[in-house]
Amino acid sequence: MRDTQSTKLLSELSRPGRRGAKIGPLDVPAVNIREKIPAYALADAPLPLPELSELDVVRHFTNLSTLNMSVDSHFYPLGSCTMKYNPKRNERLASLPGLLALHPYQPEESLQGMLRALWELQGMLAEIAGLHAVSLQPAAGAQGELTALLVAAAYFKDRNEDRTNVLVPTSAHGTNPASAAMAGFKAIGIESDREGMIDLNDLDRKLDEKTAVLMITNPNTLGLFEHQICEVAKRVHDAGGLLYLDGANMNAILGIARPGDFGADMMHYNPHKTFSGPHGGGGPGAGPIAVREMLEPYLPTPRVVKRGETYSLDWKKPKTIGRVRSFFGNVGILIRAYAYILSHGGEGLADVSRYAVLNANYLLAKLRDVLPVPFSKGCLHEFVGSASELKSERGISAMDLAKRLLDYGFHAPTVYFPLTVKEAVMIEPTETESRETLDAFADAMRTILSEPVELVQSAPHSSSVNRPDEVRAAKEQHLAWSDLSVTASKESIGPVSPSVASAGERA
Ligand SMILES: *Cc1c(COP(=O)(O)O)cnc(C)c1O
């Protein structure tokens, strides 16, 4: 059970004069700080930092860490995010002193091993993409999108083509239109048809000589393969545009379909989703991009190159868009991806995708009678259920389901995304889950739907906070949790079921 100490803020635990470490007497001549630092840069009084013992701090963070759900502690079926188990072997490899202790300012001769691994990773990612060249620099999928769009802008500028528009399906991740806007393009939405695919008629209406890029996620955010992708690519290319693949869903098609083969000219990977980078808490991630040959001159510098048996950083690319991140990218994440790809091998990667698809279809089959799935034909690695009927008939929303699952020890699925499905519940089990886990999750969903509605509507009952006001929490970060709770207290809903009580003790 949670005691009140462990959910207090550091500022609430603070006591004047309490310290974690004692600093010894000064053994150098004292300096008057006011002579060394300009007055405008000095505070009038010491900052009101919390004053705590080391044990206070250790307990605070250790207890907080146990309130979290993670892939290592709980099933985490977060659609679109591919929260798979990240093998500890890759963590160990990335922590080898020969990799971990490198400094990016070391001379290249002393970085040969690292540069070789990065060079080889570029080749592997190009091969998996079916594309020509790779930049490992972007620090996240979203930055990969931005980088690729800047590359496209440089390409069109070089060709004296004035193309201002980026087309984005309405089911796309929000980063797609945001990246288009940041790169200076105008984002234009494309509707989906009744099967959840790109509406070709709407595409034709919006494609013209102003189209720079169509951004597509394939498989799309409904977990469906855009089976018209070759036709879509042809129409975009006929209009003189480029096709961008948002690679967040590569976990469904590794070694089975290659974006370059189905018409993509550029793409990003999310190694923290697909290739075992630790994921969550805001990073670090990585977002390598792969592009077709004619776009290579514009890629960010430096590029990792091999001349003879020597690896080096190539800065001499006259048409490059320049740097998008410091050094060579988030190398720690890239090394994990390298280890993951090497340890699976080609056939192993294809198996990753086959099992991811099998697991999603298994869950889909177990759940569709209680949670309608509007677009389920040809589901790949994830599916999107709709709580729309549940909400209108029984008052149970997607949010209620997600919150109640926490009481059963499952991380909530993605909810309310994609926007094209009402009351969306987006479930992606990934290939690393056992059949027993999938069965337990399906059982929990069914149990929840047989429970009294009030119990579900007021969940979670096992966590330290109930339903915080998320907007306020984001905007007023100094608030204590107790200030943010917006729903009824636990006492008002009566007893909870035994499984919930035990989940509560664990959580
Ligand atoms: C996660 C995701 C992104 C953004 O990637 P980040 O690495 O989080 O920046 C873009 N598109 C889709 C479909 C995603 O799921």
Side-chain angles (χ1 to χ4, degrees):
M1 287 307 252
R2 266 319 106 212
D3 56 277
T4 50
Q5 282 302 98
S6 59
T7 56
K8 280 191 176 155
L9 300 179
L10 288 177
S11 55
E12 295 172 300
L13 296 170
S14 175
R15 292 294 173 273
R18 197 163 285 173
R19 289 287 179 275
K22 272 200 193 113
I23 298 175
L26 191 64
D27 58 358
V28 292
V31 173
N32 182 357
I33 203 166
R34 302 205 173 270
E35 285 166 16
K36 299 285 173 194
I37 296 178
Y40 73 85
L42 282 173
D44 299 331
L47 291 178
L49 297 175
E51 298 177 66
L52 300 153
S53 73
E54 181 172 322
L55 179 56
D56 288 336
V57 176
V58 167
R59 271 200 193 136
H60 175 76
F61 286 108
T62 305
N63 283 323
L64 276 189
S65 76
T66 67
L67 300 181
N68 247 341
M69 288 190 154
S70 69
V71 175
D72 284 1
S73 60
H74 297 86
F75 179 42
Y76 208 132
L78 199 67
S80 194
C81 287
T82 312
M83 301 296 290
K84 62 170 77 178
Y85 172 68
N86 302 144
K88 295 295 169 268
R89 173 207 281 172
N90 303 337
E91 300 297 314
R92 276 200 303 280
L93 289 173
S95 310
L96 288 176
L99 296 173
L100 201 60
L102 292 182
H103 193 283
Y105 282 149
Q106 274 176 234
E108 278 170 17
E109 311 85 82
S110 68
L111 290 174
Q112 287 298 301
M114 173 62 88
L115 291 177
R116 176 180 159 191
L118 296 178
W119 185 82
E120 288 180 3
L121 179 62
Q122 288 178 178
M124 294 169 186
L125 294 179
E127 185 179 336
I128 295 168
L131 288 168
H132 179 73
V134 167
S135 167
L136 301 174
Q137 231 183 67
Q143 202 194 10
E145 294 169 20
L146 175 64
T147 306
L149 290 172
L150 292 173
V151 164
Y155 166 77
F156 286 122
K157 188 162 174 238
D158 212 15
R159 294 164 57 95
N160 276 323
E161 291 184 47
D162 180 27
R163 293 178 177 265
T164 50
N165 298 346
V166 167
L167 309 183
V168 185
T170 48
S171 62
H173 196 276
T175 52
N176 291 189
S179 298
M182 276 188 84
F185 292 105
K186 185 172 160 207
I188 298 177
I190 305 280
E191 298 304 325
S192 308
D193 66 15
R194 253 176 291 150
E195 286 176 48
M197 299 289 144
I198 271 203
D199 181 340
L200 289 181
N201 295 325
D202 199 40
L203 176 65
D204 285 342
R205 274 193 293 278
K206 289 166 183 168
L207 259 183
D208 58 22
E209 73 290 345
K210 288 284 170 201
T211 306
V213 177
L214 170 71
M215 300 181 84
I216 195 166
T217 309
N218 195 22
N220 66 21
T221 49
L222 295 167
L224 309 176
F225 194 84
E226 291 273 356
H227 55 79
Q228 328 169 88
I229 188 67
C230 293
E231 180 58 28
V232 169
K234 182 173 178 306
R235 292 187 194 190
V236 172
H237 291 148
D238 287 349
L242 298 171
L243 186 68
Y244 180 83
L245 180 97
D246 178 328
N249 291 340
M250 283 302 286
N251 214 48
I253 59 171
L254 291 173
I256 294 169
R258 302 199 308 171
D261 296 342
F262 59 65
D265 302 299
M266 39 188 191
M267 67 169 289
H268 77 255
Y269 288 95
N270 305 69
H272 44 293
K273 296 179 182 174
T274 314
F275 299 127
S276 93
H279 187 177
I289 58 171
V291 300
R292 222 177 262 295
E293 204 157 3
M294 75 280 190
L295 299 168
E296 182 178 8
Y298 310 94
L299 285 177
T301 48
R303 308 273 317 286
V304 185
V305 293
K306 182 181 184 190
R307 294 200 179 92
E309 287 310 307
T310 308
Y311 301 88
S312 59
L313 294 173
D314 186 1
W315 294 86
K316 293 188 280 310
K317 296 270 175 191
K319 295 187 172 181
T320 176
I321 61 163
R323 229 185 215 307
V324 298
R325 194 197 177 281
S326 52
F327 307 120
F328 345 125
N330 272 336
V331 163
I333 299 298
L334 297 170
I335 288 294
R336 288 171 173 85
Y338 175 71
Y340 183 86
I341 294 171
L342 272 185
S343 56
H344 278 87
E347 203 38 44
L349 285 183
D351 271 346
V352 162
S353 290
R354 289 185 193 110
Y355 283 109
V357 170
L358 179 65
N359 278 1
N361 278 275
Y362 181 75
L363 258 192
L364 169 66
K366 290 203 87 161
L367 286 176
R368 65 193 315 167
D369 61 319
V370 289
L371 183 70
V373 179
F375 306 99
S376 60
K377 208 173 108 208
C379 146
L380 291 185
H381 64 301
E382 64 191 352
F383 60 93
V384 183
S386 170
S388 191
E389 277 171 37
L390 278 171
K391 190 176 179 191
S392 55
E393 287 165 16
R394 299 185 50 210
I396 298 178
S397 66
M399 181 65 83
D400 297 334
L401 272 180
K403 294 285 187 188
R404 185 60 175 147
L405 278 167
L406 303 179
D407 288 332
Y408 284 84
F410 296 110
H411 191 282
T414 297
V415 286
Y416 302 101
F417 176 75
L419 306 178
T420 44
V421 172
K422 274 194 200 146
E423 292 293 321
V425 180
M426 186 184 207
I427 299 174
E428 178 179 10
T430 82
E431 74 283 2
T432 58
E433 295 304 326
S434 67
R435 182 170 174 177
E436 291 72 29
T437 302
L438 302 180
D439 286 341
F441 179 77
D443 288 347
M445 285 284 269
R446 304 185 87 89
T447 308
I448 290 170
L449 292 172
S450 68
E451 290 177 329
V453 173
E454 308 75 53
L455 189 67
V456 182
Q457 286 170 334
S458 53
H461 307 291
S462 58
S463 54
S464 322
V465 228
N466 182 255
R467 294 201 189 191
D469 179 339
E470 287 164 13
V471 177
R472 241 186 119 203
K475 299 215 156 155
E476 299 177 50
Q477 295 186 353
H478 60 279
L479 290 179
W481 288 344
S482 49
D483 296 331
L484 291 164
S485 282
V486 290
T487 49
S489 69
K490 291 174 195 183
E491 288 71 37
S492 65
I493 54 114
V496 292
S497 75
S499 62
V500 174
S502 63
E505 271 151 34
R506 197 184 52 245

